[in-house]
């Protein structure tokens, strides 16, 4: 355990009001300026005459503030300008750690527990007593900074699920339309009171998957709400449906993708599964364009409270397909995934264990040319873990003199990475490849999605990262 004061300076500058002219205006921090799980600070603009005896500290860009006066969740903010700080806050100035890495540490549950008090406030003594869960090496500093940046961006980038889907389908190019009756196989509707049948209440509030865990097995079925008050209540889900065993009540419609038809018109059987097709269709139905199309299929009478999705009309609607359906699905899910703030919060809490795992991998790698590590999917994707491991290695003494490379899951994943994330890695000495490339590197990390031939030099040490 490491003392907190070894990496920060507490309250580094006191405020001297006499150094400023009477006409000077200041940015001041109040307790209302900070919010839970939001690093941004809303400053109060005040005149010199409005300052109080409590306003005794100053802070500058890159400092971090901890509010001493609230309970349970300790409010923490990142300063982005010169400001006046009252004594109800503690100013932390990073010394041997970056601002983002320090913020990441303060948000972990281990330090939040140290800052918790059943009383209404904590003191400077409590802050000084904080013990860090691990030593902050340059490599850990950089990885923590990346984690913190991802978490903050996810908090601040609040693009909705609906916006992500709409933007993707609005920007589709090279589309062609097909009737739904050619793409889907419709199951018969049976009226049943069987309590084991799925109904509207079983749908997720957001997203498209029914299962508790990610669906990876074939075959899959698509379930649609058939009876609803208006189209905004429409929901769609995907569920693993081996042996066609899933039963639904009369409020839902069950369909399956006609994969053989799609393979006949040119889609590659080795690349496109019923799950990929199902996800594409489900996301389209949830888009505004899809809902507007489905609106035309609703039917009701004057006495009906609910409208019904009429199957004969549904079969005749046109749905836009494009040559690279997998890319569209990946594009949507990539955007949704990187906006998951709760996921990053869990990763921050797990950072101490993750660093221990990195050291174990490094130790094992010294004794062999090839190792495989399986990551817990409730915390990371294989790619996320691989990128952090690469970053850790690239900033660890001895290893930072070697060339580090990462092979992404597929050419498609490589293209999406280059489009959305590559710019963030420009300053890292790490090379990225698709599985089809001729790879170079002393240490090569492979994000393993499925078995495929790789062109890796014999002299390289290889780390395979796969999901549990």
């Amino acid at each position: 355990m490491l003392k907190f004061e070894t990496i920060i300076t507490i309250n580094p500058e006191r405020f001297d009001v006499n150094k400023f002219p009477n006409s000077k205006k200041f940015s001041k921090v109040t307790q209302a300026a900070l919010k839970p799980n939001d690093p941004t600070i809303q400053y109060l603009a005040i005149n010199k005459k409005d300052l109080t005896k409590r306003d005794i500290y100053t802070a500058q860009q890159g400092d971090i503030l901890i509010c001493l006066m609230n309970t349970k969740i300790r409010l923490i903010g990142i300063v982005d300008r010169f400001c006046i700080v009252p004594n109800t806050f503690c100013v932390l100035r990073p010394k041997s750690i970056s601002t983002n890495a320090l913020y990441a540490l303060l948000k972990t549950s281990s330090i939040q527990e140290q800052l918790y008090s059943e009383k209404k406030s904590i003191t400077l003594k409590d802050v000084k007593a904080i013990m860090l869960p691990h030593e902050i090496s340059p490599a850990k500093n950089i990885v923590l900074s990346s984690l913190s940046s991802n978490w903050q961006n996810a908090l601040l980038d609040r693009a909705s699920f609906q916006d992500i889907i709409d933007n993707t389908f609005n920007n589709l190019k090279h589309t062609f339309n097909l009737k739904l009756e050619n793409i889907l196989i419709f199951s018969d509707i049976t009226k049943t009171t069987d309590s084991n049948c799925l109904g509207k209440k079983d749908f997720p509030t957001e997203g498209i998957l029914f299962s508790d865990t990610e669906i990876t097995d074939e075959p899959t079925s698509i379930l649609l709400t058939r009876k609803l008050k208006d189209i905004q209540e429409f929901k769609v889900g995907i569920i693993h449906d081996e042996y066609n065993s899933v039963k639904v009540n009369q409020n839902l419609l069950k369909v399956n993708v006609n994969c053989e038809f799609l393979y006949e018109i040119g889609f590659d059987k080795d690349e496109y599964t019923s799950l990929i097709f199902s996800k594409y269709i489900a996301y389209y139905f949830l888009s505004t364009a899809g809902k507007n199309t489905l609106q035309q299929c609703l039917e009701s009478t004057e006495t009906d409270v609910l409208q019904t999705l009429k199957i004969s009309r549904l079969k005749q609607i046109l749905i836009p397909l494009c040559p690279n359906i997998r890319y569209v699905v990946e594009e949507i899910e990539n955007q949704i995934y990187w906006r998951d703030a709760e996921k990053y919060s869990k990763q921050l809490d797990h950072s101490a264990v993750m660093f221990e795992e990195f050291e174990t991998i490094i130790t094992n790698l010294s004794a062999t040319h090839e190792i495989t590590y399986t990551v817990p999917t409730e915390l990371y994707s294989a790619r996320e873990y691989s990128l952090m491991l690469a970053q850790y290695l690239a900033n660890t003494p001895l290893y930072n003199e070697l060339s580090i490379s990462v092979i992404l899951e597929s050419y498609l994943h490589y293209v999406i990475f280059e489009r959305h994330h590559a710019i963030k890695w420009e300053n890292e000495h790490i090379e990225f490849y698709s599985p089809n490339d001729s790879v170079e590197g002393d240490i090569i990390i492979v994000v393993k999605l499925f078995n495929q031939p790789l062109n890796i030099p014999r002299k390289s040490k290889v780390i395979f990262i796969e999901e549990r």
Side-chain angles (χ1 to χ4, degrees), residues 141-268:
N141 184 14
I142 289 172
V143 173
L144 283 172
S145 292
S146 295
L147 265 178
S148 181
S149 295
N150 289 338
W151 187 71
Q152 292 174 51
N153 290 337
L155 287 170
L156 298 175
D157 188 353
R158 293 184 173 87
S160 69
F161 181 80
Q162 189 68 57
D163 287 341
I164 291 170
I165 296 172
D166 286 346
N167 290 337
T168 302
F169 281 101
N170 289 341
N171 292 322
L172 279 188
K173 296 179 180 178
H174 310 298
T175 60
F176 55 96
N177 295 329
L178 288 176
K179 282 186 178 180
L180 211 56
E181 66 177 346
N182 294 324
I183 304 173
L184 298 179
I185 301 169
F186 291 76
S187 298
D188 293 333
I189 297 172
T190 56
K191 292 186 176 182
T192 177
T193 57
D194 189 344
S195 60
N196 292 322
C197 290
L198 294 174
K200 290 193 294 183
K201 61 179 175 55
D202 296 302
F203 275 94
T205 55
E206 189 174 85
I208 61 169
L209 298 179
F210 262 89
S211 300
D212 293 335
T213 57
E214 178 75 15
I215 301 170
T216 56
D217 297 327
E218 302 293 327
T220 55
S221 290
I222 306 173
L223 308 183
L224 316 171
T225 43
R226 179 171 163 264
K227 291 183 177 289
L228 53 161
K229 291 181 180 179
D230 58 61
I231 197 61
Q232 298 309 316
E233 286 192 350
F234 176 79
K235 291 184 178 180
V236 57
I238 297 174
I239 193 165
H240 176 60
D241 191 14
E242 192 172 4
Y243 308 119
N244 200 32
S245 58
V246 173
K247 304 300 179 186
V248 300
N249 64 28
Q250 64 270 26
N251 293 321
L252 299 184
L253 178 62
K254 176 181 164 185
V255 297
N256 295 87
V257 176
N258 187 349
C259 292
E260 294 305 317
F261 171 78
L262 293 169
Y263 296 147
E264 287 174 6
I265 66 173
F267 287 99
D268 189 341

Side-chain angles (χ1 to χ4, degrees), residues 39-55:
T40 56
I41 297 174
Q42 303 297 320
Y43 302 91
L44 179 67
I46 64 169
N47 297 313
K48 181 177 178 180
K49 64 182 179 64
D50 297 320
L51 293 169
T52 70
K53 291 182 178 180
R54 287 182 173 272
D55 301 325

Side-chain angles (χ1 to χ4, degrees), residues 434-453:
S434 83
N436 305 327
D437 295 329
S438 294
V439 183
E440 296 180 356
D442 297 311
I443 298 178
I444 299 172
I445 300 172
V446 181
V447 187
K448 189 175 180 182
L449 182 63
F450 43 77
N451 291 323
Q452 53 188 322

